[in-house]
Amino acid sequence: MKVLITGGAGYIGSTVASALEDTGHTPIILDSLVTGPREFVRGRVFYEGDIADRGLLERLFRQHPDIYATIHCAALIVVPESVEQPYLYYRENVCKSLELFKNLEELGYPRVVFSSSASIYDTVPGFRVTEDSPLKPNSPYARTKYMMEMVLEDLARATRLRGIALRYFNPIGADPQMRSGLHVREPSHVLGRLVDTALGKIPYFQITGTDYPTRDGTGIRDYIHVWDLAMAHVRAVERFDEALAKTGNPYEVINLGSGHGNTVKELVSAFENVWGSPINKREAPRRPGDAAGAYANADKAWELLGWKTELSLEDGIHTALEWGKRRKEVLGYV
Ligand SMILES: NC(=O)c1ccc[n+]([C@@H]2O[C@H](COP(=O)([O-])OP(=O)(O)OC[C@H]3O[C@@H](n4cnc5c(N)ncnc54)[C@H](O)[C@@H]3O)[C@@H](O)[C@H]2O)c1
């Protein structure tokens, strides 16, 4: 089937496109390239432009009337930038997504899979969260995700639109076939920084926060291989109607995580094992806005989508390192 991916030039969207192709589907990409690189859409059906551009959407659907569903990945995603420039984030992630959803409904393309984030969860005792756990998004970025979940739910209740919001935990790694991976020059993602430290691009890795109430004092996260994450989108599209029919709701939220929590120190030591030697690291105080963290109860993804993670933390580290060495060939920059 044909699937529209907004933000399909990005880290996650481009990997979803590869997963769709590998399973016999055809991705149609809509991306403004505001952050995603052109190299990630090479050889794919690609429309360059903004998600809120109605005319562009009309042309796209005229040329591909058989699109089955839309995966909405396009967004700005840098948390500190969202603190400094909230207007930009609310305009890009909220106002434009609202227009996109309205246009999709009006044009008769009601199935929407939305990229949401586990960063909207509050910290809970034990750190394991289900989709019903309390929410407390604590940055403008996270609030844009929370808002769009509410918007999608309300639209789904009032119109023909149907929505599945996927709450991603912490994506790591790269496409195992090295078609895509992290593209930013200075990654803020923890594994990107570990790779940059190992490859000598930055002098040391900072473990920020060592006084959290976790087993070793460092933050806890649920690291999920980006390929597993991409495959969850394939299942969400393939089982879209079936999943919603099962619950009888026009809108569902699904956690995408491994179901295991790893602390930053555990991640660093897994990284050093895969890398084969210790890396330079320093402990530093918590950063403002950081939380102890969370990991997923991923039972609902299994029940509704028949999906669970298959790749390990080490697989994620391995592909991230490989991508760190190979990305110049793909992107043209280190
Ligand atoms: N990477 C993570 O750790 C993570 C975690 C949870 C959720 N998410 C969500 O996953 C989605 C994808 O994230 P990513 O890591 O691939 O980010 P990314 O920056 O690599 O990709 C986002 C893509 O969206 C495009 N884009 C942004 N605004 C646009 C607009 N108005 N019109 C058209 N295209 C636009 C960008 O050019 C880029 O290619 C985002 O919605 C993000 O909030 C990411």
Side-chain angles (χ1 to χ4, degrees), residues 6-14 30-37 49-52 72-77 92-93 96 114-119 141 145 166-171 182-184 189:
T6 73
Y11 170 50
I12 292 167
S14 62
L30 169 58
D31 198 300
S32 63
L33 302 183
V34 59
T35 55
D50 200 277
I51 53 166
H72 178 35
C73 293
L76 300 180
I77 68 156
E92 295 299 314
N93 293 2
K96 290 186 175 178
F114 173 59
S115 298
S116 189
S117 169
S119 65
Y141 163 74
K145 293 283 144 186
L166 300 176
R167 286 188 188 145
Y168 309 165
F169 280 69
N170 298 79
L182 276 182
H183 55 80
V184 285
H189 299 70

mmCIF file of all heavy atoms in Angstrom, residues 6-14 30-37 49-52 72-77 92-93 96 114-119 141 145 166-171 182-184 189, ligand 1:
data_model
loop_
_atom_site.group_PDB
_atom_site.id
_atom_site.type_symbol
_atom_site.label_atom_id
_atom_site.label_comp_id
_atom_site.label_asym_id
_atom_site.label_seq_id
_atom_site.Cartn_x
_atom_site.Cartn_y
_atom_site.Cartn_z
ATOM 1 N N THR A 6 4.973 12.363 6.425
ATOM 2 C CA THR A 6 5.467 13.738 6.580
ATOM 3 C C THR A 6 6.740 13.643 7.418
ATOM 4 O O THR A 6 6.843 12.795 8.311
ATOM 5 C CB THR A 6 4.444 14.643 7.300
ATOM 6 O OG1 THR A 6 4.417 14.290 8.690
ATOM 7 C CG2 THR A 6 3.050 14.530 6.703
ATOM 8 N N GLY A 7 7.717 14.480 7.102
ATOM 9 C CA GLY A 7 8.990 14.375 7.821
ATOM 10 C C GLY A 7 9.766 13.126 7.406
ATOM 11 O O GLY A 7 10.605 12.637 8.158
ATOM 12 N N GLY A 8 9.512 12.669 6.214
ATOM 13 C CA GLY A 8 10.146 11.426 5.732
ATOM 14 C C GLY A 8 11.601 11.579 5.351
ATOM 15 O O GLY A 8 12.256 10.597 4.998
ATOM 16 N N ALA A 9 12.136 12.833 5.452
ATOM 17 C CA ALA A 9 13.579 13.027 5.244
ATOM 18 C C ALA A 9 14.318 13.018 6.575
ATOM 19 O O ALA A 9 15.531 13.179 6.605
ATOM 20 C CB ALA A 9 13.839 14.347 4.517
ATOM 21 N N GLY A 10 13.603 12.826 7.666
ATOM 22 C CA GLY A 10 14.223 12.885 8.987
ATOM 23 C C GLY A 10 14.771 11.532 9.428
ATOM 24 O O GLY A 10 14.670 10.528 8.723
ATOM 25 N N TYR A 11 15.341 11.544 10.610
ATOM 26 C CA TYR A 11 15.958 10.330 11.190
ATOM 27 C C TYR A 11 14.942 9.185 11.255
ATOM 28 O O TYR A 11 15.182 8.088 10.739
ATOM 29 C CB TYR A 11 16.473 10.704 12.592
ATOM 30 C CG TYR A 11 16.926 9.580 13.481
ATOM 31 C CD1 TYR A 11 17.812 8.614 13.029
ATOM 32 C CD2 TYR A 11 16.474 9.493 14.807
ATOM 33 C CE1 TYR A 11 18.250 7.599 13.881
ATOM 34 C CE2 TYR A 11 16.906 8.491 15.662
ATOM 35 C CZ TYR A 11 17.790 7.543 15.196
ATOM 36 O OH TYR A 11 18.208 6.535 16.033
ATOM 37 N N ILE A 12 13.800 9.454 11.846
ATOM 38 C CA ILE A 12 12.822 8.382 12.030
ATOM 39 C C ILE A 12 12.010 8.167 10.752
ATOM 40 O O ILE A 12 11.853 7.027 10.291
ATOM 41 C CB ILE A 12 11.924 8.685 13.250
ATOM 42 C CG1 ILE A 12 12.795 8.584 14.513
ATOM 43 C CG2 ILE A 12 10.747 7.705 13.332
ATOM 44 C CD1 ILE A 12 12.176 9.147 15.756
ATOM 45 N N GLY A 13 11.530 9.258 10.141
ATOM 46 C CA GLY A 13 10.698 9.124 8.942
ATOM 47 C C GLY A 13 11.406 8.383 7.817
ATOM 48 O O GLY A 13 10.795 7.559 7.118
ATOM 49 N N SER A 14 12.698 8.642 7.639
ATOM 50 C CA SER A 14 13.413 7.973 6.543
ATOM 51 C C SER A 14 13.592 6.488 6.853
ATOM 52 O O SER A 14 13.578 5.648 5.949
ATOM 53 C CB SER A 14 14.769 8.638 6.287
ATOM 54 O OG SER A 14 15.583 8.538 7.427
ATOM 55 N N LEU A 30 6.638 13.716 2.182
ATOM 56 C CA LEU A 30 6.405 15.162 2.187
ATOM 57 C C LEU A 30 7.299 15.765 3.265
ATOM 58 O O LEU A 30 7.176 15.403 4.449
ATOM 59 C CB LEU A 30 4.930 15.450 2.494
ATOM 60 C CG LEU A 30 4.560 16.909 2.795
ATOM 61 C CD1 LEU A 30 4.919 17.838 1.650
ATOM 62 C CD2 LEU A 30 3.074 17.025 3.111
ATOM 63 N N ASP A 31 8.228 16.629 2.849
ATOM 64 C CA ASP A 31 9.179 17.184 3.820
ATOM 65 C C ASP A 31 9.677 18.523 3.287
ATOM 66 O O ASP A 31 9.936 18.655 2.089
ATOM 67 C CB ASP A 31 10.351 16.209 4.025
ATOM 68 C CG ASP A 31 11.141 16.487 5.289
ATOM 69 O OD1 ASP A 31 11.684 17.600 5.418
ATOM 70 O OD2 ASP A 31 11.215 15.592 6.148
ATOM 71 N N SER A 32 9.834 19.485 4.185
ATOM 72 C CA SER A 32 10.336 20.800 3.765
ATOM 73 C C SER A 32 11.861 20.845 3.768
ATOM 74 O O SER A 32 12.442 21.852 3.364
ATOM 75 C CB SER A 32 9.815 21.871 4.729
ATOM 76 O OG SER A 32 10.333 21.616 6.021
ATOM 77 N N LEU A 33 12.499 19.812 4.273
ATOM 78 C CA LEU A 33 13.963 19.739 4.430
ATOM 79 C C LEU A 33 14.476 20.822 5.384
ATOM 80 O O LEU A 33 15.637 21.199 5.310
ATOM 81 C CB LEU A 33 14.688 19.817 3.071
ATOM 82 C CG LEU A 33 14.316 18.742 2.033
ATOM 83 C CD1 LEU A 33 15.171 18.911 0.764
ATOM 84 C CD2 LEU A 33 14.494 17.333 2.593
ATOM 85 N N VAL A 34 13.608 21.294 6.272
ATOM 86 C CA VAL A 34 14.055 22.313 7.230
ATOM 87 C C VAL A 34 15.161 21.748 8.127
ATOM 88 O O VAL A 34 16.099 22.452 8.483
ATOM 89 C CB VAL A 34 12.881 22.901 8.045
ATOM 90 C CG1 VAL A 34 12.126 21.853 8.836
ATOM 91 C CG2 VAL A 34 13.348 23.992 8.993
ATOM 92 N N THR A 35 15.073 20.475 8.450
ATOM 93 C CA THR A 35 16.185 19.828 9.184
ATOM 94 C C THR A 35 16.653 18.541 8.507
ATOM 95 O O THR A 35 17.812 18.189 8.599
ATOM 96 C CB THR A 35 15.796 19.499 10.650
ATOM 97 O OG1 THR A 35 14.609 18.700 10.637
ATOM 98 C CG2 THR A 35 15.580 20.745 11.471
ATOM 99 N N GLY A 36 15.770 17.837 7.848
ATOM 100 C CA GLY A 36 16.141 16.547 7.245
ATOM 101 C C GLY A 36 16.982 16.740 5.993
ATOM 102 O O GLY A 36 16.808 17.718 5.265
ATOM 103 N N PRO A 37 17.924 15.828 5.737
ATOM 104 C CA PRO A 37 18.784 15.969 4.556
ATOM 105 C C PRO A 37 18.157 15.393 3.284
ATOM 106 O O PRO A 37 17.455 14.379 3.326
ATOM 107 C CB PRO A 37 20.023 15.151 4.938
ATOM 108 C CG PRO A 37 19.525 14.118 5.882
ATOM 109 C CD PRO A 37 18.327 14.694 6.583
ATOM 110 N N GLY A 49 8.096 20.512 0.543
ATOM 111 C CA GLY A 49 7.212 21.596 0.940
ATOM 112 C C GLY A 49 6.712 21.405 2.356
ATOM 113 O O GLY A 49 7.111 20.471 3.070
ATOM 114 N N ASP A 50 5.817 22.304 2.734
ATOM 115 C CA ASP A 50 5.370 22.393 4.116
ATOM 116 C C ASP A 50 4.113 21.553 4.361
ATOM 117 O O ASP A 50 3.243 21.464 3.498
ATOM 118 C CB ASP A 50 5.061 23.860 4.420
ATOM 119 C CG ASP A 50 5.054 24.128 5.893
ATOM 120 O OD1 ASP A 50 4.014 23.868 6.539
ATOM 121 O OD2 ASP A 50 6.085 24.580 6.416
ATOM 122 N N ILE A 51 4.008 20.990 5.547
ATOM 123 C CA ILE A 51 2.832 20.176 5.874
ATOM 124 C C ILE A 51 1.531 20.977 5.863
ATOM 125 O O ILE A 51 0.456 20.413 5.724
ATOM 126 C CB ILE A 51 2.958 19.469 7.249
ATOM 127 C CG1 ILE A 51 3.289 20.474 8.361
ATOM 128 C CG2 ILE A 51 3.970 18.343 7.193
ATOM 129 C CD1 ILE A 51 3.088 19.925 9.762
ATOM 130 N N ALA A 52 1.648 22.318 6.034
ATOM 131 C CA ALA A 52 0.427 23.134 6.090
ATOM 132 C C ALA A 52 0.040 23.688 4.721
ATOM 133 O O ALA A 52 -0.901 24.482 4.616
ATOM 134 C CB ALA A 52 0.616 24.281 7.085
ATOM 135 N N HIS A 72 2.530 10.897 10.449
ATOM 136 C CA HIS A 72 2.912 12.302 10.628
ATOM 137 C C HIS A 72 4.117 12.418 11.569
ATOM 138 O O HIS A 72 3.973 12.513 12.788
ATOM 139 C CB HIS A 72 1.718 13.084 11.165
ATOM 140 C CG HIS A 72 2.027 14.526 11.428
ATOM 141 N ND1 HIS A 72 2.902 15.263 10.653
ATOM 142 C CD2 HIS A 72 1.580 15.378 12.401
ATOM 143 C CE1 HIS A 72 2.987 16.490 11.136
ATOM 144 N NE2 HIS A 72 2.200 16.584 12.191
ATOM 145 N N CYS A 73 5.304 12.422 10.966
ATOM 146 C CA CYS A 73 6.556 12.548 11.737
ATOM 147 C C CYS A 73 7.090 13.971 11.754
ATOM 148 O O CYS A 73 7.941 14.293 12.585
ATOM 149 C CB CYS A 73 7.662 11.679 11.121
ATOM 150 S SG CYS A 73 7.414 9.916 11.208
ATOM 151 N N ALA A 74 6.670 14.812 10.815
ATOM 152 C CA ALA A 74 7.294 16.134 10.676
ATOM 153 C C ALA A 74 7.111 16.955 11.955
ATOM 154 O O ALA A 74 6.002 17.082 12.464
ATOM 155 C CB ALA A 74 6.687 16.892 9.495
ATOM 156 N N ALA A 75 8.204 17.496 12.437
ATOM 157 C CA ALA A 75 8.159 18.363 13.616
ATOM 158 C C ALA A 75 9.540 18.935 13.855
ATOM 159 O O ALA A 75 10.522 18.431 13.311
ATOM 160 C CB ALA A 75 7.727 17.564 14.857
ATOM 161 N N LEU A 76 9.593 19.988 14.658
ATOM 162 C CA LEU A 76 10.871 20.430 15.217
ATOM 163 C C LEU A 76 11.034 19.702 16.543
ATOM 164 O O LEU A 76 10.052 19.521 17.276
ATOM 165 C CB LEU A 76 10.873 21.952 15.426
ATOM 166 C CG LEU A 76 10.661 22.791 14.151
ATOM 167 C CD1 LEU A 76 10.679 24.283 14.483
ATOM 168 C CD2 LEU A 76 11.710 22.460 13.085
ATOM 169 N N ILE A 77 12.267 19.294 16.857
ATOM 170 C CA ILE A 77 12.387 18.322 17.963
ATOM 171 C C ILE A 77 13.429 18.655 19.040
ATOM 172 O O ILE A 77 13.697 17.826 19.901
ATOM 173 C CB ILE A 77 12.702 16.913 17.409
ATOM 174 C CG1 ILE A 77 14.101 16.846 16.795
ATOM 175 C CG2 ILE A 77 11.662 16.458 16.396
ATOM 176 C CD1 ILE A 77 14.666 15.428 16.766
ATOM 177 N N GLU A 92 5.048 25.612 14.393
ATOM 178 C CA GLU A 92 5.440 24.510 13.498
ATOM 179 C C GLU A 92 4.772 23.189 13.884
ATOM 180 O O GLU A 92 4.320 22.447 13.029
ATOM 181 C CB GLU A 92 6.965 24.332 13.502
ATOM 182 C CG GLU A 92 7.717 25.518 12.936
ATOM 183 C CD GLU A 92 7.370 25.795 11.472
ATOM 184 O OE1 GLU A 92 7.336 24.865 10.662
ATOM 185 O OE2 GLU A 92 7.114 26.985 11.154
ATOM 186 N N ASN A 93 4.766 22.886 15.183
ATOM 187 C CA ASN A 93 4.294 21.562 15.599
ATOM 188 C C ASN A 93 2.798 21.512 15.883
ATOM 189 O O ASN A 93 2.169 20.464 15.703
ATOM 190 C CB ASN A 93 5.044 21.099 16.853
ATOM 191 C CG ASN A 93 6.521 20.832 16.588
ATOM 192 O OD1 ASN A 93 6.995 21.031 15.480
ATOM 193 N ND2 ASN A 93 7.239 20.398 17.596
ATOM 194 N N LYS A 96 0.589 24.002 12.467
ATOM 195 C CA LYS A 96 0.703 23.344 11.156
ATOM 196 C C LYS A 96 0.157 21.915 11.192
ATOM 197 O O LYS A 96 -0.435 21.459 10.221
ATOM 198 C CB LYS A 96 2.150 23.381 10.677
ATOM 199 C CG LYS A 96 2.586 24.786 10.287
ATOM 200 C CD LYS A 96 3.965 24.815 9.677
ATOM 201 C CE LYS A 96 4.284 26.240 9.201
ATOM 202 N NZ LYS A 96 5.646 26.320 8.637
ATOM 203 N N PHE A 114 0.435 9.190 14.417
ATOM 204 C CA PHE A 114 1.116 10.405 14.874
ATOM 205 C C PHE A 114 2.327 10.070 15.741
ATOM 206 O O PHE A 114 2.239 9.279 16.672
ATOM 207 C CB PHE A 114 0.120 11.267 15.668
ATOM 208 C CG PHE A 114 0.745 12.470 16.322
ATOM 209 C CD1 PHE A 114 1.395 13.432 15.548
ATOM 210 C CD2 PHE A 114 0.702 12.638 17.696
ATOM 211 C CE1 PHE A 114 1.989 14.542 16.134
ATOM 212 C CE2 PHE A 114 1.293 13.747 18.302
ATOM 213 C CZ PHE A 114 1.939 14.700 17.504
ATOM 214 N N SER A 115 3.467 10.723 15.431
ATOM 215 C CA SER A 115 4.702 10.565 16.227
ATOM 216 C C SER A 115 4.576 11.349 17.511
ATOM 217 O O SER A 115 4.766 12.566 17.520
ATOM 218 C CB SER A 115 5.902 11.156 15.477
ATOM 219 O OG SER A 115 6.147 10.519 14.280
ATOM 220 N N SER A 116 4.279 10.665 18.604
ATOM 221 C CA SER A 116 4.283 11.348 19.898
ATOM 222 C C SER A 116 5.507 10.904 20.689
ATOM 223 O O SER A 116 6.384 10.219 20.153
ATOM 224 C CB SER A 116 2.975 11.063 20.642
ATOM 225 O OG SER A 116 2.903 11.882 21.793
ATOM 226 N N SER A 117 5.546 11.287 21.930
ATOM 227 C CA SER A 117 6.793 11.097 22.668
ATOM 228 C C SER A 117 6.542 10.717 24.118
ATOM 229 O O SER A 117 5.630 11.242 24.771
ATOM 230 C CB SER A 117 7.574 12.407 22.627
ATOM 231 O OG SER A 117 8.645 12.355 23.524
ATOM 232 N N ALA A 118 7.406 9.837 24.630
ATOM 233 C CA ALA A 118 7.320 9.454 26.041
ATOM 234 C C ALA A 118 7.743 10.598 26.953
ATOM 235 O O ALA A 118 7.564 10.504 28.171
ATOM 236 C CB ALA A 118 8.210 8.239 26.293
ATOM 237 N N SER A 119 8.280 11.672 26.360
ATOM 238 C CA SER A 119 8.688 12.805 27.200
ATOM 239 C C SER A 119 7.480 13.521 27.800
ATOM 240 O O SER A 119 7.643 14.427 28.616
ATOM 241 C CB SER A 119 9.533 13.802 26.397
ATOM 242 O OG SER A 119 8.757 14.386 25.371
ATOM 243 N N TYR A 141 8.482 21.806 23.713
ATOM 244 C CA TYR A 141 8.473 20.705 22.731
ATOM 245 C C TYR A 141 7.498 19.603 23.175
ATOM 246 O O TYR A 141 6.625 19.186 22.403
ATOM 247 C CB TYR A 141 9.890 20.125 22.549
ATOM 248 C CG TYR A 141 9.860 18.768 21.901
ATOM 249 C CD1 TYR A 141 9.580 18.644 20.535
ATOM 250 C CD2 TYR A 141 10.049 17.594 22.644
ATOM 251 C CE1 TYR A 141 9.508 17.391 19.935
ATOM 252 C CE2 TYR A 141 9.982 16.355 22.049
ATOM 253 C CZ TYR A 141 9.710 16.245 20.698
ATOM 254 O OH TYR A 141 9.623 15.010 20.112
ATOM 255 N N LYS A 145 3.623 18.021 21.645
ATOM 256 C CA LYS A 145 3.234 16.627 21.385
ATOM 257 C C LYS A 145 1.947 16.286 22.145
ATOM 258 O O LYS A 145 1.030 15.656 21.621
ATOM 259 C CB LYS A 145 4.367 15.677 21.815
ATOM 260 C CG LYS A 145 5.620 15.819 20.972
ATOM 261 C CD LYS A 145 5.441 15.145 19.631
ATOM 262 C CE LYS A 145 6.105 15.858 18.518
ATOM 263 N NZ LYS A 145 5.828 15.308 17.200
ATOM 264 N N LEU A 166 1.594 7.222 18.552
ATOM 265 C CA LEU A 166 2.633 6.309 19.023
ATOM 266 C C LEU A 166 3.581 7.101 19.923
ATOM 267 O O LEU A 166 4.188 8.082 19.477
ATOM 268 C CB LEU A 166 3.397 5.732 17.822
ATOM 269 C CG LEU A 166 2.545 4.939 16.823
ATOM 270 C CD1 LEU A 166 3.383 4.500 15.618
ATOM 271 C CD2 LEU A 166 1.920 3.706 17.498
ATOM 272 N N ARG A 167 3.655 6.689 21.188
ATOM 273 C CA ARG A 167 4.560 7.394 22.118
ATOM 274 C C ARG A 167 5.909 6.691 22.092
ATOM 275 O O ARG A 167 6.081 5.636 22.696
ATOM 276 C CB ARG A 167 3.987 7.395 23.529
ATOM 277 C CG ARG A 167 2.834 8.356 23.683
ATOM 278 C CD ARG A 167 2.393 8.507 25.131
ATOM 279 N NE ARG A 167 1.166 9.284 25.188
ATOM 280 C CZ ARG A 167 0.181 9.087 26.067
ATOM 281 N NH1 ARG A 167 0.301 8.152 26.991
ATOM 282 N NH2 ARG A 167 -0.905 9.836 26.028
ATOM 283 N N TYR A 168 6.856 7.323 21.375
ATOM 284 C CA TYR A 168 8.192 6.732 21.272
ATOM 285 C C TYR A 168 8.941 6.933 22.576
ATOM 286 O O TYR A 168 8.932 8.037 23.124
ATOM 287 C CB TYR A 168 9.048 7.411 20.201
ATOM 288 C CG TYR A 168 8.485 7.581 18.834
ATOM 289 C CD1 TYR A 168 9.120 8.461 17.953
ATOM 290 C CD2 TYR A 168 7.360 6.896 18.373
ATOM 291 C CE1 TYR A 168 8.658 8.650 16.662
ATOM 292 C CE2 TYR A 168 6.896 7.082 17.092
ATOM 293 C CZ TYR A 168 7.538 7.968 16.238
ATOM 294 O OH TYR A 168 7.086 8.182 14.970
ATOM 295 N N PHE A 169 9.662 5.908 23.000
ATOM 296 C CA PHE A 169 10.608 6.093 24.099
ATOM 297 C C PHE A 169 11.911 6.639 23.491
ATOM 298 O O PHE A 169 11.866 7.633 22.794
ATOM 299 C CB PHE A 169 10.683 4.823 24.962
ATOM 300 C CG PHE A 169 9.493 4.800 25.896
ATOM 301 C CD1 PHE A 169 8.202 4.613 25.406
ATOM 302 C CD2 PHE A 169 9.633 5.106 27.230
ATOM 303 C CE1 PHE A 169 7.089 4.709 26.234
ATOM 304 C CE2 PHE A 169 8.523 5.193 28.083
ATOM 305 C CZ PHE A 169 7.260 4.992 27.573
ATOM 306 N N ASN A 170 13.053 6.046 23.685
ATOM 307 C CA ASN A 170 14.284 6.721 23.245
ATOM 308 C C ASN A 170 14.920 6.002 22.065
ATOM 309 O O ASN A 170 15.664 5.042 22.261
ATOM 310 C CB ASN A 170 15.259 6.812 24.416
ATOM 311 C CG ASN A 170 14.664 7.638 25.533
ATOM 312 O OD1 ASN A 170 13.834 7.146 26.304
ATOM 313 N ND2 ASN A 170 15.008 8.893 25.591
ATOM 314 N N PRO A 171 14.661 6.492 20.864
ATOM 315 C CA PRO A 171 15.185 5.805 19.686
ATOM 316 C C PRO A 171 16.712 5.900 19.615
ATOM 317 O O PRO A 171 17.280 6.957 19.875
ATOM 318 C CB PRO A 171 14.566 6.566 18.509
ATOM 319 C CG PRO A 171 13.564 7.494 19.082
ATOM 320 C CD PRO A 171 13.895 7.694 20.520
ATOM 321 N N LEU A 182 21.296 9.013 12.452
ATOM 322 C CA LEU A 182 21.252 10.396 12.940
ATOM 323 C C LEU A 182 21.946 11.306 11.931
ATOM 324 O O LEU A 182 23.041 11.003 11.484
ATOM 325 C CB LEU A 182 21.970 10.513 14.284
ATOM 326 C CG LEU A 182 21.183 10.157 15.541
ATOM 327 C CD1 LEU A 182 22.066 10.399 16.765
ATOM 328 C CD2 LEU A 182 19.899 10.956 15.667
ATOM 329 N N HIS A 183 21.293 12.428 11.587
ATOM 330 C CA HIS A 183 21.858 13.294 10.546
ATOM 331 C C HIS A 183 22.362 14.621 11.077
ATOM 332 O O HIS A 183 23.013 15.365 10.381
ATOM 333 C CB HIS A 183 20.818 13.552 9.452
ATOM 334 C CG HIS A 183 19.545 14.117 9.992
ATOM 335 N ND1 HIS A 183 19.397 15.443 10.302
ATOM 336 C CD2 HIS A 183 18.369 13.524 10.316
ATOM 337 C CE1 HIS A 183 18.180 15.640 10.790
ATOM 338 N NE2 HIS A 183 17.531 14.487 10.811
ATOM 339 N N VAL A 184 22.020 14.950 12.353
ATOM 340 C CA VAL A 184 22.423 16.259 12.863
ATOM 341 C C VAL A 184 23.935 16.282 13.092
ATOM 342 O O VAL A 184 24.537 15.268 13.431
ATOM 343 C CB VAL A 184 21.689 16.632 14.177
ATOM 344 C CG1 VAL A 184 20.266 17.026 13.889
ATOM 345 C CG2 VAL A 184 21.728 15.507 15.178
ATOM 346 N N HIS A 189 21.253 13.624 21.287
ATOM 347 C CA HIS A 189 20.867 12.292 21.762
ATOM 348 C C HIS A 189 22.062 11.658 22.479
ATOM 349 O O HIS A 189 23.197 11.764 22.018
ATOM 350 C CB HIS A 189 20.495 11.375 20.600
ATOM 351 C CG HIS A 189 19.338 11.852 19.787
ATOM 352 N ND1 HIS A 189 19.406 12.947 18.979
ATOM 353 C CD2 HIS A 189 18.081 11.355 19.652
ATOM 354 C CE1 HIS A 189 18.234 13.121 18.386
ATOM 355 N NE2 HIS A 189 17.418 12.169 18.777
HETATM 356 N N1 LIG B 1 14.241 11.367 17.827
HETATM 357 C C1 LIG B 1 13.648 11.191 18.998
HETATM 358 O O1 LIG B 1 14.343 10.931 20.005
HETATM 359 C C2 LIG B 1 12.142 11.260 19.120
HETATM 360 C C3 LIG B 1 11.528 10.808 20.306
HETATM 361 C C4 LIG B 1 10.150 10.885 20.420
HETATM 362 C C5 LIG B 1 9.390 11.399 19.385
HETATM 363 N N2 LIG B 1 9.999 11.842 18.252
HETATM 364 C C6 LIG B 1 9.165 12.406 17.171
HETATM 365 O O2 LIG B 1 9.458 11.726 15.952
HETATM 366 C C7 LIG B 1 9.293 12.603 14.855
HETATM 367 C C8 LIG B 1 10.505 12.534 13.963
HETATM 368 O O3 LIG B 1 11.657 12.881 14.704
HETATM 369 P P1 LIG B 1 13.136 12.759 14.108
HETATM 370 O O4 LIG B 1 14.038 12.385 15.222
HETATM 371 O O5 LIG B 1 13.108 11.918 12.890
HETATM 372 O O6 LIG B 1 13.423 14.287 13.739
HETATM 373 P P2 LIG B 1 14.089 14.896 12.400
HETATM 374 O O7 LIG B 1 14.384 16.330 12.696
HETATM 375 O O8 LIG B 1 15.201 14.030 11.945
HETATM 376 O O9 LIG B 1 12.900 14.785 11.344
HETATM 377 C C9 LIG B 1 11.829 15.688 11.280
HETATM 378 C C10 LIG B 1 11.571 15.967 9.811
HETATM 379 O O10 LIG B 1 10.436 16.819 9.690
HETATM 380 C C11 LIG B 1 10.709 17.796 8.693
HETATM 381 N N3 LIG B 1 9.829 18.953 8.986
HETATM 382 C C12 LIG B 1 9.795 19.678 10.132
HETATM 383 N N4 LIG B 1 8.838 20.629 10.041
HETATM 384 C C13 LIG B 1 8.246 20.478 8.831
HETATM 385 C C14 LIG B 1 7.169 21.143 8.168
HETATM 386 N N5 LIG B 1 6.511 22.162 8.739
HETATM 387 N N6 LIG B 1 6.796 20.708 6.928
HETATM 388 C C15 LIG B 1 7.456 19.686 6.333
HETATM 389 N N7 LIG B 1 8.472 19.013 6.928
HETATM 390 C C16 LIG B 1 8.870 19.417 8.147
HETATM 391 C C17 LIG B 1 12.191 18.074 8.812
HETATM 392 O O11 LIG B 1 12.768 18.629 7.645
HETATM 393 C C18 LIG B 1 12.744 16.678 9.111
HETATM 394 O O12 LIG B 1 13.089 15.985 7.925
HETATM 395 C C19 LIG B 1 9.026 13.998 15.439
HETATM 396 O O13 LIG B 1 7.647 14.253 15.378
HETATM 397 C C20 LIG B 1 9.477 13.868 16.873
HETATM 398 O O14 LIG B 1 8.767 14.742 17.722
HETATM 399 C C21 LIG B 1 11.359 11.785 18.090
#
